[in-house]
């Protein structure tokens, strides 16, 4: 292929990849498989590698920016990004409606567009001749920080507008909200907690923090999304294409390939606004992203011009807020709660308070260091929120002048469940008594019966706690000795439910090795490690007898993990319980060894870190190993590649320190293609 042919093909590929990215990230309607998309992307990258002069600013390969910035530049907005007048009472909406009708004339036909009020980070996007040329935070509403390189990393932000349906103005300044979906937020927090790091407080702060990373590569690892909802300014608008209403603005934004929320509605009365507000509030927990109210906008753009704005807010819009999910209450007591892994968590028992329609009377304080940092004590007045609108947590203490406070909280010296002396591991306090601890036993029963372990139908949280409380299960093996007549003595059990649980336990007694290992709740052993142990050793006895060196031969298991696994099996109480389980109660099944596809990657040692988009971590690991690669859990000088997805953490930093080559997901697919691995 000569240069002219390469230029033409690159142009075709950019258009095709852009179209499919729009279908996938904006419309949620992919038209091709990930494998086909990856091949198109790989072909474009290869062309650009061969002819670097063909690289354009809107090329899909240029999503991630360059080197870290020393600081953000302050820029003026194309038009003021004003706040909204707001209120949480219907009476305030009625006054807003009356003001507009009085200003526009009692006979004016007023129509509104109502939409969810997104709780994210407001940004300005600037397109020049259809190409993304600028982006800025809201800042003070007049000026913000230039964050173009960071915004370029958000998949739902088009680098070039689509103009096949509607021509774009020569200059177009847009307003949108960068958010983090709640599922993505919770996964990111789980990874942070696993790494011993402080989790994000809420999705809005996580999104705002990601946008203000001086290194765009860090922003690229955060799972950010965006909804665009307004035109701030436009120049060079084609005749006959200027929108006359907010509804037409939304239609134009969609035509240009921008991600637009699908929940707005046109209404013409306060009663209809109230109905929409209630519907959004009822659906709030199911939408998948944070909203904190409803925005009401006058639909007619000419009428908006007549109304104008104050220095603070437009007169033609109003935010009808939801009741706050943060409430103030008082700590009645701080108790220590024991989880299934033995971690003892301080929990604030509070005067019941309603937050977003849910009555909250207890909230986590995370660990002893967090209690000390926030200095929360019994009797304190505190502000509580539902983190991610789900998990209650104490946000802060509210000082009370002149009030004498009680003594600082101290973690107990002994486990509140089994009285075993507690030990400290970093910021965490732990009961080392394992399966002999009733609280841990109840947690382990719940875990053992979970979907990815033995999948015991009917063994939920309340049932497991009840079985331990009533001493029907004093040790884990007792679960497999339960009889229906014993269960009939418990509250909530009838003949049908008792027989169903016993039958569920019977079916689960034939357990695949990896599911059984995962269900035991061995420290450091999640689903992937359990599967790797089962594949490597091929029997439970071999795993139980393996020393730390032998365990480290399993790809992905490092010294710390090996020590934890070996220590679990060496502990006499655990060994006794395992012996009892295997003595006629549990039959462990070893699945057939997976087939090896080839040896194209033989000799390569890779580390996977962070979240991948086109493959799950399990799928990527299985794919690599099936072609002969060794996937390990820690980075060393012997590591050939580190594959870094979103939010990779310390392994990424270690790779940089050691000079190990880092691949993103696209780079991984290029490596596979270069080695002849067909996807």
């Amino acid at each position: 292929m000569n240069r002219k042919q390469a230029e033409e093909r690159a142009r075709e590929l950019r258009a095709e990849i852009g179209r499919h990215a729009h279908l996938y990230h904006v419309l949620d309607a992919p038209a091709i498989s990930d494998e086909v998309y990856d091949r198109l992307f790989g072909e474009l990258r290869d062309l650009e590698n061969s002819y670097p002069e063909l690289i354009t600013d809107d090329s899909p390969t240029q999503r991630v920016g360059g080197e870290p910035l020393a600081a953000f530049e302050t820029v003026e907005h194309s038009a003021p990004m004003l706040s909204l007048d707001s209120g949480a009472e219907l009476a305030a909406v009625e006054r807003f409606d009356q003001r507009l009708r009085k200003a526009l004339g009692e006979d004016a036909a007023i129509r509104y567009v109502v939409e969810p009020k997104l709780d994210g980070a407001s940004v300005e996007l600037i397109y020049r001749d259809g190409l993304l040329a600028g982006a800025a935070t809201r800042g003070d509403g007049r000026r913000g920080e230039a964050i173009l390189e960071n915004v370029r990393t958000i998949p739902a932000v088009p680098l070039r507008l689509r103009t096949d349906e509607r021509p774009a103005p020569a200059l177009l300044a847009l307003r949108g909200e960068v958010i983090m979906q709640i599922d993505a937020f919770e996964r990111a927090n789980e990874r942070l907690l696993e790494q011993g790091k402080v989790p994000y407080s809420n999705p809005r702060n996580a999104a705002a923090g990601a946008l203000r990373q001086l290194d765009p590569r860090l922003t690229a690892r955060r799972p950010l999304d965006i909804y665009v909802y307004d035109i701030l300014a436009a120049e060079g608008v084609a005749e006959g294409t200027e929108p006359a209403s907010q509804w037409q603005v939304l239609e134009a934004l969609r035509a240009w390939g921008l991600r637009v929320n699908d929940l707005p509605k046109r209404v013409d009365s306060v009663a209809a606004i109230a109905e929409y507000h209630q519907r959004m509030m009822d659906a709030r927990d199911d939408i998948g992203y944070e909203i904190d109210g409803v925005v009401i906008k006058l639909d007619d753009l000419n009428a908006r011009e007549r109304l104008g704005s104050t220095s603070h807010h437009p007169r033609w819009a109003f935010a009808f807020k939801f009741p706050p999910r943060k409430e103030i209450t008082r700590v009645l007591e701080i108790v220590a709660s024991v989880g299934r892994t033995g971690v003892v968590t301080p929990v604030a028992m509070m005067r019941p308070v309603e937050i977003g329609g849910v009555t909250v009377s207890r909230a986590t304080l995370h660990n002893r260091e967090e209690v000390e940092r926030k200095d929360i004590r019994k009797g304190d007045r505190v502000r509580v929120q539902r983190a991610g609108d789900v998990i209650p947590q104490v946000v802060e203490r509210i000082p009370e002048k002149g009030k004498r406070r009680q003594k600082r909280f101290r973690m107990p010296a002994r486990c509140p469940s089994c009285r075993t002396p507690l030990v400290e591991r970093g910021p965490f306090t732990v009961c080392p008594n394992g399966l002999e601890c009733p609280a841990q036993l109840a947690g382990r029963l719940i875990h053992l019966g979970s979907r990815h372990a033995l999948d015991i139908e009917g063994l939920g949280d309340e049932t497991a706690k009840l079985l331990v409380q009533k001493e029907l299960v004093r040790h884990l093996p007792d679960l497999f000795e339960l009889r229906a007549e014993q269960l009939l003595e418990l509250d909530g059990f009838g003949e049908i439910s008792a027989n169903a649980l016993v039958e569920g336990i019977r079916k689960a007694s034939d357990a695949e090795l990896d599911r059984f290992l995962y269900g035991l709740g061995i420290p450091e052993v999640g689903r992937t490690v359990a599967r790797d142990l089962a594949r490597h050793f091929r029997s439970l006895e071999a795993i139980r007898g393996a020393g730390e060196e032998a365990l480290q031969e399993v790809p992905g298991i490092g010294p710390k993990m090996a020590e934890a696994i070996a220590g679990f099996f060496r502990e006499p109480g655990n060994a006794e319980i395992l012996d009892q389980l295997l003595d006629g109660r549990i039959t462990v099944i070893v699945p057939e060894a997976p087939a090896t596809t080839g040896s194209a990657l033989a000799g390569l040692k890779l580390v996977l870190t962070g979240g991948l988009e086109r493959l799950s971590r399990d799928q990527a690991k299985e794919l690599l190993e099936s072609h002969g690669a060794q996937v390990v859990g820690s980075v060393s000088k012997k590591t050939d590649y580190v594959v870094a997805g979103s939010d990779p953490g310390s392994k990424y930093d270690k790779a940089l320190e050691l000079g190990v080559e880092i691949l993103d997901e696209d780079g991984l697919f290029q490596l596979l293609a270069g080695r002849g691995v067909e996807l």
Side-chain angles (χ1 to χ4, degrees):
M1 183 181 294
N2 59 37
R3 190 196 178 286
K4 184 176 181 180
Q5 292 171 323
E7 184 177 10
E8 179 61 27
R9 179 56 178 160
R11 188 181 300 112
E12 293 173 356
L13 287 168
R14 282 195 295 270
E16 184 70 357
I17 293 169
R19 183 174 73 86
H20 288 295
H22 173 73
L23 288 169
Y24 185 92
H25 293 292
V26 178
L27 301 182
D28 296 321
I32 58 174
S33 67
D34 290 346
E35 290 79 4
V36 174
Y37 181 94
D38 293 334
R39 282 201 292 271
L40 294 172
F41 194 99
E43 183 182 353
L44 176 59
R45 175 167 284 181
D46 289 342
L47 284 174
E48 291 178 347
N49 287 339
S50 300
Y51 300 93
E53 67 271 25
L54 298 182
I55 298 175
T56 61
D57 287 342
D58 64 332
S59 173
T61 64
Q62 303 304 298
R63 274 282 175 195
V64 180
E67 295 299 314
L69 303 172
F72 291 112
E73 177 188 0
T74 299
V75 295
E76 295 277 346
H77 292 309
S78 302
M81 297 178 68
L82 301 178
S83 300
L84 291 175
D85 192 13
S86 65
E89 303 294 333
L90 185 59
V93 178
E94 292 172 338
R95 289 193 294 271
F96 165 74
D97 178 70
Q98 290 165 5
R99 285 197 301 269
L100 262 61
R101 292 184 186 279
K102 183 176 181 180
L104 297 174
E106 292 294 332
D107 296 331
I110 289 181
R111 175 179 282 181
Y112 298 107
V113 172
V114 287
E115 60 190 41
K117 185 177 181 297
L118 303 169
D119 191 14
S122 192
V123 297
E124 177 187 33
L125 305 178
I126 297 175
Y127 287 87
R128 296 184 187 278
D129 297 322
L131 185 68
L132 181 65
T137 62
R138 179 179 178 273
D140 64 5
R142 306 285 173 176
R143 297 179 303 171
E145 294 175 315
I147 53 170
L148 174 60
E149 291 303 312
N150 290 352
V151 166
R152 287 172 64 89
T153 70
I154 302 173
V157 174
L159 301 180
R160 180 177 290 278
L161 296 177
R162 300 170 62 83
T163 55
D164 46 347
E165 295 180 18
R166 184 188 190 102
L171 172 66
L172 184 64
L174 307 172
R175 184 167 180 173
E177 199 88 356
V178 173
I179 65 169
M180 190 178 287
Q181 302 281 348
I182 291 175
D183 285 346
F185 167 77
E186 291 176 348
R187 287 195 299 271
N189 266 357
E190 287 174 2
R191 289 194 293 272
L192 288 174
L193 289 170
E194 289 171 358
Q195 296 163 11
K197 298 180 181 178
V198 178
Y200 304 124
S201 59
N202 56 57
R204 176 177 52 80
N205 287 353
L211 285 176
R212 299 191 71 257
Q213 293 288 332
L214 290 172
D215 187 346
R217 293 169 296 190
L218 296 178
T219 305
R221 295 182 207 125
R222 306 284 175 86
L224 298 180
D225 203 348
I226 191 172
Y227 285 108
V228 181
Y229 53 82
D230 208 354
I231 296 175
L232 292 172
E235 296 176 6
V237 181
E239 187 175 349
T241 65
E242 186 172 3
S245 68
Q246 175 64 22
W247 198 256
Q248 290 178 7
V249 165
L250 298 179
E251 291 175 340
L253 295 174
R254 289 191 184 94
W256 290 324
L258 295 148
R259 186 167 174 81
V260 176
N261 195 281
D262 57 1
L263 295 175
K265 183 180 179 181
R266 283 193 286 191
V267 299
D268 55 12
S269 68
V270 171
I273 292 172
E275 180 182 357
Y276 181 85
H277 180 269
Q278 185 63 50
R279 183 158 62 86
M280 288 297 101
M281 192 158 58
D282 291 343
R284 187 179 186 183
D285 291 332
D286 300 318
I287 287 176
Y289 46 85
E290 294 278 21
I291 61 174
D292 58 359
V294 166
V295 177
I296 308 160
K297 298 177 182 177
L298 186 64
D299 194 30
D300 188 326
L301 299 189
N302 288 327
R304 287 188 188 183
E305 288 292 325
R306 290 165 53 194
L307 291 168
S309 303
T310 70
S311 61
H312 175 263
H313 63 264
R315 293 188 175 92
W316 43 263
F318 188 86
F320 189 9
K321 302 292 287 293
F322 291 150
R325 296 203 187 223
K326 288 184 181 179
E327 292 291 347
I328 294 172
T329 186
R330 193 168 297 280
V331 176
L332 304 177
E333 189 64 77
I334 299 177
V335 301
S337 176
V338 187
R340 71 170 177 85
T341 62
V343 174
V344 183
T345 302
V347 175
M349 311 301 293
M350 305 170 301
R351 184 172 295 149
V353 61
E354 187 174 286
I355 306 178
V358 176
T359 300
V360 173
S361 60
R362 52 188 287 147
T364 179
L365 293 169
H366 298 297
N367 56 57
R368 66 176 186 282
E369 290 186 0
E370 186 75 358
V371 179
E372 292 171 5
R373 185 180 69 80
K374 292 182 177 177
D375 191 17
I376 305 297
R377 308 184 193 182
K378 177 181 177 180
D380 281 350
R381 197 162 177 253
V382 295
R383 182 172 284 107
V384 183
Q385 73 175 11
R386 289 169 64 201
D389 279 343
V390 179
I391 305 168
Q393 64 178 218
V394 175
V395 179
E396 61 183 348
R397 175 177 67 87
I398 300 174
E400 297 176 272
K401 190 175 181 180
K403 180 178 173 61
R404 186 174 180 179
R405 302 179 68 206
Q406 299 203 29
K407 293 181 180 179
R408 286 179 175 271
F409 172 77
R410 293 285 182 266
M411 293 294 286
R414 292 181 175 273
C415 174
S417 179
C418 66
R419 309 305 301 162
T420 299
L422 298 177
V423 297
E424 294 184 357
R425 295 175 186 165
F428 301 105
T429 304
V430 180
C431 170
N433 199 21
L435 296 174
E436 294 299 312
C437 172
Q440 292 185 62
L441 175 59
R444 295 293 176 88
L445 284 177
I446 296 166
H447 184 65
L448 185 68
S450 64
R451 182 166 58 92
H452 296 299
L454 301 193
D455 195 16
I456 301 175
E457 186 176 351
L459 186 62
D461 292 19
E462 295 305 318
T463 297
K465 293 174 183 176
L466 189 61
L467 292 174
V468 174
Q469 178 188 344
K470 297 300 184 181
E471 297 188 344
L472 291 181
V473 176
R474 297 184 180 183
H475 303 283
L476 203 58
D478 295 343
L479 177 68
F480 298 90
E481 300 292 332
L482 283 176
R483 302 186 308 277
E485 54 266 29
Q486 292 176 290
L487 298 173
L488 290 173
E489 300 175 4
L490 304 179
D491 291 341
F493 272 94
E495 187 173 342
I496 293 177
S497 57
N499 286 325
L501 178 56
V502 170
E503 177 63 15
I505 294 170
R506 185 194 65 77
K507 289 181 179 178
S509 62
D510 290 331
E512 292 185 356
L513 176 56
D514 59 332
R515 284 177 168 267
F516 182 61
L517 288 171
Y518 173 68
L520 288 175
I522 304 167
E524 305 287 341
V525 176
R527 292 164 54 200
T528 300
V529 174
R531 185 196 63 190
D532 293 343
L533 286 167
R535 287 180 175 179
H536 184 86
F537 287 101
R538 309 296 300 157
S539 78
L540 180 59
E541 288 307 311
I543 297 170
R544 292 181 68 179
E548 293 176 21
E549 288 187 8
L551 288 167
Q552 289 183 61
E553 293 177 5
V554 179
I557 295 183
K560 181 181 176 182
M561 194 180 293
E563 181 182 2
I565 296 168
F568 176 89
F569 287 113
R570 280 198 302 264
E571 206 282 319
N574 292 339
E576 182 180 352
I577 287 170
L578 278 170
D579 288 338
Q580 292 176 19
L581 285 172
L582 298 172
D583 186 18
R585 294 175 175 86
I586 288 280
T587 300
V588 178
I589 302 168
V590 180
E592 294 183 7
T596 300
T597 305
S599 57
L601 306 179
L604 291 184
K605 185 178 289 188
L606 296 93
V607 171
L608 300 175
T609 180
L612 302 178
E613 294 182 2
R614 301 183 186 99
L615 295 173
S616 69
R617 288 274 292 277
D618 286 352
Q619 289 171 330
K621 182 174 170 51
E622 188 170 344
L623 174 64
L624 292 168
E625 290 179 345
S626 70
H627 288 278
Q630 185 180 2
V631 181
V632 297
S634 57
V635 182
S636 69
K637 290 183 178 179
K638 295 182 179 179
T639 306
D640 294 294
Y641 299 100
V642 169
V643 180
S646 59
D647 195 20
S650 60
K651 294 176 184 177
Y652 179 89
D653 298 332
K654 186 69 173 178
L656 289 175
E657 178 187 330
L658 297 177
V660 175
E661 185 171 351
I662 299 173
L663 303 176
D664 59 12
E665 195 165 357
D666 296 322
L668 172 61
F669 280 97
Q670 286 185 15
L671 171 68
L672 295 173
R675 293 269 183 153
V677 176
E678 294 186 6
L679 300 173

